[in-house]
Amino acid sequence: MKKYSKTLIAVLLAVSSLASFAQMNDRRPQMYSSRPQSINIDKSIFANALDATEGKEISLQLSADFTFYGKVISNFSKYNNLHTVMVRSNENATTILQITLIQEKNNISYSGRIINGNAADGYEIKNNNGVYSLQKFETLKILDPCKF
């Protein structure tokens, strides 16, 4: 019995160390490595995106040197206080910009992301006392990768 338990412990240690090394190697490209960590953004851009109809081609000027071009693939409202638009990038079909308007009583806020499951980074919309910005994040912290 002791012989089997020592072998079982050795196998468990080997498997757990292999799993931890496998998670550290993200070989996906960084799409936004040349862009800043944080980009201030005018919230009027959100309203323009939320007004776009499904199927429409739009361009959103996120900063002086960063314009998101894409096609609206979804635009819907739910519960009278949530409104979401999703835009697929024309430059990379696996990149999606998602913007959500959240209305609570008389307070309106926005959230969302620019995300690509095949990239190691993306941007998240952050609200700091009414000042909106895009904050860079690592995709692995948001998405749980599926490996077969």
Side-chain angles (χ1 to χ4, degrees), residues 31-78:
M31 292 183 60
Y32 304 106
S33 60
S34 64
R35 301 220 178 264
Q37 189 69 25
S38 179
I39 301 171
N40 287 335
I41 187 167
D42 184 358
K43 68 180 177 181
S44 67
I45 291 169
F46 304 140
N48 294 341
L50 290 162
D51 287 341
T53 57
E54 197 169 317
K56 183 179 180 181
E57 297 279 334
I58 64 172
S59 66
L60 302 171
Q61 188 75 35
L62 302 175
S63 73
D65 64 342
F66 185 16
T67 303
F68 191 93
Y69 299 99
K71 183 176 185 176
V72 176
I73 58 172
S74 177
N75 190 334
F76 64 94
S77 295
K78 195 166 187 172

Side-chain angles (χ1 to χ4, degrees), residues 23 26 28 94 113-122 137-147:
Q23 292 178 4
D26 186 8
R28 296 177 297 171
T94 56
R113 290 190 174 100
I114 300 174
I115 196 161
N116 180 328
N118 298 326
D121 61 352
F137 68 87
E138 294 177 37
T139 308
L140 281 181
K141 292 183 179 178
I142 304 294
L143 299 176
D144 187 17
C146 297
K147 304 212 188 241

